[in-house]
Amino acid sequence: MEETMTNLNATASQGPGTACNRQGPRAITRIFAFLEGLMHAHRSRREAEHLASLSDYLLKDIGITRSDIDMVVRGGRWHG
């Protein structure tokens, strides 16, 4: 019990907002990672829509089929 109180006192003695300041950079990093994920998903969806709008002839010309579009957009390998 005394050890717990000592840790609480040490944390409290560091001043107001200190623990919050340590969490700040991690929270910002998480927010940026989340936003980056959203942007990547949006970009992938646009690329898939664009490829899906192409004719079969054009898709064949670039070496993919309609069934390859999702894999190509995700960055996987496709059988060309």
Side-chain angles (χ1 to χ4, degrees):
M1 175 85 170
E2 189 170 318
E3 183 178 325
T4 303
M5 292 300 288
T6 304
N7 289 340
L8 290 173
N9 289 337
T11 303
S13 68
Q14 292 174 357
T18 305
C20 184
N21 289 339
R22 280 184 264 148
Q23 295 295 328
R26 282 188 238 152
I28 291 171
T29 302
R30 287 186 199 137
I31 290 169
F32 277 120
F34 175 75
L35 291 175
E36 186 177 67
L38 284 178
M39 291 185 334
H40 177 72
H42 179 68
R43 191 176 323 117
S44 295
R45 188 174 2 173
R46 281 188 314 174
E47 290 172 1
E49 288 171 356
H50 177 71
L51 286 172
S53 73
L54 297 177
S55 68
D56 290 336
Y57 173 78
L58 288 175
L59 290 173
K60 184 178 179 181
D61 190 46
I62 61 175
I64 64 172
T65 64
R66 287 202 183 280
S67 61
D68 295 329
I69 291 175
D70 286 334
M71 191 178 309
V72 169
V73 169
R74 286 189 310 236
R77 293 193 169 270
W78 65 94
H79 51 84

